[in-house]
Amino acid sequence: MSEASAPHAADRRELTGAQRNAVAELLRVSPVADELGRRFVRAGHELHLVGGSVRDALLGRLGDDLDFCTDAHPDETLRIIKGWAESIWETGREFGTIGAQRDGLRLEITTFRAESYDQVTRNPVVVYGTSLTEDLRRRDFTINAMAVSVPEHRFTDPHGGLDDLAAKVIRTPADPRESFGDDPLRMLRAARFAAQLRFAVHPDVHAAMSRMAADLDRITAERIRDEFTKLLCGADPITGLRLLVDTGLAERFLPELTGLKLEIDEHAQHKDVYEHTLTVVENAVSFEEDGCDFILRMAALMHDVGKPATKAVGPDGRVSFHHHEVVGARLTKARMKALRYPKDITAKVTGLVALHLRFYGYGRGEWTDSAVRRYVADAGDLLPRLHKLTRSDCTTRNRRKAAQLGADYDALEDRIVRIAAEEDLARVRPDLDGNAIMELLGVPPGPVVGRAWKHLKEQRLEHGPLDRDAAEAELLRWARAEGLID
C-alpha cells in the first residue's frame, strides 16, 4: 500500500479488524478453496477468490457462494473440476463462467475477462483476458476489485479497495464516466451498494451518475428490476432511494418517486410527500420480523404516488388528495408491469396501495361489525401487511395525535381478533355453497348461481353467520324478489 493511499490512523484500526474478519472467513472455506486452487496450479493455471467474496470476507459476512477467476478457459475449467465437484452447471458458460458445488459451497469460476462495449448495446461482448490485473480493472467498484490467490493466499488490491472499504466509500477502478459508459447498470449498482452496505458514493461517482443518468435507458427492464429490488431490500434503503432521486436515475425508471417531491403533504407535518414516503418506508422496515419483506417495502414506497394527479386546493386553501389510493394503485400496477415484476407480486403491492386508507375514520366510531368483516375480507392474506403499512403511514410529529392513531388501530386489531373468535373471518363465504343453491332453487350451474352466491356473501358480511334455516330463507326471499320463483 503506497503512502499516498494509506488510510488515516482510525482507518488502520478498522483495516486490522477487517483483515481479522477475512482470515476467519477464509479459514472456514479454505479446505475447499485451497484444494480447488491446487488442482488449478497442477494443471498449470492460477485461481483467485475475487470480487464480492473478498469484500464480504473482509466485512466478516462471507456466505456459501464463492466467486473465483482464472486464466483457464471454460473447457479447461471443466476438465479440472470433473470428478472433484459434486455437481457442475454451465448456464453461464457463454460469459466464461462454470458453476460447481462441493461440501455445501457453491462455486462460480470465471475466466479472466477483458470485456469490450460499443456503448450502444445493452450487454457486453465477452472477451477473455490474460491477467488478473486486467480482470480487476474491468470490475464495477474498487471494493469488488480485490483478489486472494489460492492456495497461496496472496492478496491483490491494485485500486485501493481495502482503503475504500475502511472509509466506506464506493469508487470505480477506472474513471467513472468510462465505467458507466461501458455498463450504465453500474450506476444503479452504486446506489444498491450504498443501501446494502451503508456506504457513501465518491463525489466523482455521484457527479458521473448525475451526468449520465439517461444512459440507463440502454438497460433492459429486467436488469433494472433486479438491481432495484436488491436496493429496496438493503439494510438502508433510504440512502439508496435518495441517491436515485438526487442523481436523476429514478426519473429514468421510477418517475413517480421523483414526482412526490413536488407535492406538499396535507397534514403539513413534512416538507413534502417525498419525505413522508421515505419515513413510511423506514417505518415499514422496522416492522419486519424475518428479513426483507419486499411487498411491504414496495407498497410503502408507492402508497402515495397517486397524490400528484389528485391534488386539489379548496376555497379555504387546504390541500386534498381525494381517491389518491385508487389512482396510486393504478399507477403502481402500470409501473411494476413495466419493470416486469411477476403478476402475483404486483397484485399484492397494488392491493396494499389500494387499501392503505381504509382504516382512517375508524376512530370516529363509524365502523360496524360488518365494516370490520369487509375490511378483513377485502384484505385477505394481505391483512398482516396491511396492519404494518397502516401503522407505518402514521408519521405525524404531533405526539397526542400519533398516540390516538396507535390506540385506534390497537382497538381495530383487538376487534378483529374478537370477531374472528366468533366467526371464520379468514374465509368469509356464503352460508350455502353452490350445490345447495342449485338444489334449493332448482337451477343448473350458471349465472343465477353466481348472483345468488354473491348475494349470500353480502349478507354474511353484513350480518355475520346465518344458520342453515335462516340462510335458506334469505335465499328464497332473494329469489322471489328477483322473479326466479313464485
Side-chain angles (χ1 to χ4, degrees):
M1 184 182 299
S2 67
E3 285 297 320
S5 63
H8 55 69
D11 288 342
R12 288 182 188 277
R13 288 194 294 273
E14 289 189 53
L15 291 181
T16 300
Q19 290 164 331
R20 284 198 299 270
N21 288 335
V23 169
E25 294 292 276
L26 293 174
L27 283 175
R28 179 175 66 83
V29 302
S30 64
V32 171
D34 290 350
E35 187 178 336
L36 181 60
R38 285 190 288 270
R39 293 179 71 90
F40 273 80
V41 170
R42 285 197 298 270
H45 294 288
E46 53 189 280
L47 186 70
H48 308 270
L49 192 67
V50 72
S53 292
V54 176
R55 179 200 70 226
D56 288 345
L58 288 163
L59 292 173
R61 45 182 274 181
L62 181 62
D64 294 331
D65 294 340
L66 306 181
D67 295 325
F68 296 89
C69 64
T70 180
D71 60 337
H73 286 198
D75 286 342
E76 297 168 285
T77 294
L78 284 170
R79 283 194 292 270
I80 292 170
I81 65 175
K82 188 176 181 180
W84 175 82
E86 295 162 359
S87 60
I88 296 173
W89 55 93
E90 301 180 45
T91 51
R93 184 180 182 130
E94 65 176 310
F95 299 107
T97 300
I98 300 297
Q101 183 163 323
R102 173 84 178 194
D103 292 349
L105 298 175
R106 288 173 55 89
L107 321 171
E108 289 201 343
I109 307 160
T110 304
T111 304
F112 290 154
R113 300 262 285 271
E115 293 163 344
S116 61
Y117 300 77
D118 60 13
Q119 300 199 354
V120 175
T121 58
R122 293 167 170 168
N123 296 311
V125 177
V126 176
V127 178
Y128 294 143
T130 58
S131 71
L132 175 64
T133 301
E134 183 180 28
D135 181 271
L136 294 179
R137 187 182 184 280
R138 71 155 187 91
R139 292 180 178 267
D140 52 5
F141 305 112
T142 59
I143 58 174
N144 296 330
M146 299 178 282
V148 175
S149 62
V150 286
E152 300 92 340
H153 295 184
R154 183 179 65 257
F155 181 68
T156 302
D157 179 24
H159 303 290
L162 197 59
D163 293 12
D164 290 340
L165 199 66
K168 298 183 178 180
V169 171
I170 297 170
R171 189 169 57 86
T172 55
D175 185 296
R177 292 169 297 183
E178 175 187 343
S179 181
F180 298 154
D182 284 347
D183 185 359
L185 188 67
R186 289 172 173 172
M187 295 185 286
L188 193 50
R189 284 171 61 83
R192 189 250 286 188
F193 281 119
Q196 286 185 327
L197 302 176
R198 302 180 187 274
F199 281 19
V201 297
H202 189 278
D204 291 345
V205 172
H206 192 288
M209 291 167 69
S210 299
R211 285 195 299 267
M212 303 176 67
D215 285 15
L216 194 64
D217 295 349
R218 290 161 42 196
I219 304 301
T220 62
E222 291 82 358
R223 294 181 73 203
I224 291 174
R225 173 201 64 204
D226 291 347
E227 285 297 328
F228 175 70
T229 300
K230 293 174 183 176
L231 182 158
L232 194 58
C233 278
D236 181 16
I238 307 307
T239 291
L241 292 169
R242 287 192 185 281
L243 192 56
L244 293 180
V245 172
D246 292 347
T247 58
L249 285 168
E251 191 64 33
R252 314 313 305 184
F253 72 95
L254 193 63
E256 294 83 1
L257 178 58
T258 303
L260 294 177
K261 290 178 71 71
L262 305 177
E263 302 301 319
I264 304 302
D265 185 80
E266 72 270 31
H267 302 301
Q269 298 299 311
H270 301 276
K271 181 178 180 181
D272 52 33
V273 177
Y274 169 71
E275 291 296 335
H276 163 73
T277 294
L278 295 184
T279 301
V280 174
V281 173
E282 192 171 33
N283 290 345
V285 172
S286 72
F287 281 115
E288 291 174 343
E289 298 167 2
D290 186 23
C292 172
D293 183 344
F294 171 78
I295 292 170
L296 176 62
R297 294 191 187 195
M298 189 66 175
L301 183 66
M302 302 296 285
H303 80 286
D304 274 351
V305 296
K307 283 188 172 180
T310 58
K311 180 182 178 182
V313 181
D316 59 356
R318 288 181 60 83
V319 176
S320 65
F321 303 96
H322 295 307
H323 305 301
H324 76 266
E325 75 281 10
V326 177
V327 175
R330 186 171 66 246
L331 292 173
T332 298
K333 182 178 181 180
R335 181 55 54 198
M336 294 187 71
K337 181 180 179 181
L339 288 172
R340 307 291 194 270
Y341 277 101
K343 290 182 179 179
D344 60 329
I345 300 297
T346 299
K348 290 177 180 179
V349 174
T350 302
L352 287 169
V353 173
L355 290 168
H356 84 274
L357 283 185
R358 285 280 291 273
F359 160 73
Y360 292 96
Y362 177 80
R364 296 195 295 266
E366 299 170 355
W367 282 32
T368 61
D369 281 358
S370 66
V372 175
R373 292 188 197 99
R374 291 179 189 278
Y375 187 75
V376 174
D378 289 348
D381 60 4
L382 293 175
L383 186 62
R385 287 190 176 102
L386 183 58
H387 288 332
K388 295 174 182 177
L389 178 60
T390 303
R391 290 183 182 276
S392 298
D393 196 23
C394 176
T395 62
T396 177
R397 296 175 185 173
N398 183 318
R399 292 185 179 181
R400 186 169 59 83
K401 184 177 180 181
Q404 184 60 56
L405 284 170
D408 288 346
Y409 209 85
D410 288 343
L412 174 59
E413 290 200 48
D414 289 343
R415 193 170 174 189
I416 290 172
V417 170
R418 176 182 61 77
I419 297 175
E422 302 167 358
E423 311 170 21
D424 185 8
L425 285 184
R427 297 177 66 237
V428 175
R429 301 178 63 82
D431 297 281
L432 299 176
D433 63 18
N435 290 327
I437 292 171
M438 288 187 288
E439 181 180 350
L440 193 62
L441 298 183
V443 296
V448 169
V449 178
R451 286 164 50 205
W453 190 93
K454 183 177 180 181
H455 172 75
L456 289 175
K457 181 176 180 180
E458 287 296 314
Q459 294 300 306
R460 173 76 165 78
L461 288 169
E462 187 67 28
H463 303 293
L466 301 176
D467 61 30
R468 180 78 181 200
D469 289 343
E472 290 182 355
E474 176 58 32
L475 177 62
L476 293 173
R477 186 202 63 76
W478 171 84
R480 290 190 189 95
E482 293 289 312
L484 300 173
I485 60 174
D486 297 328

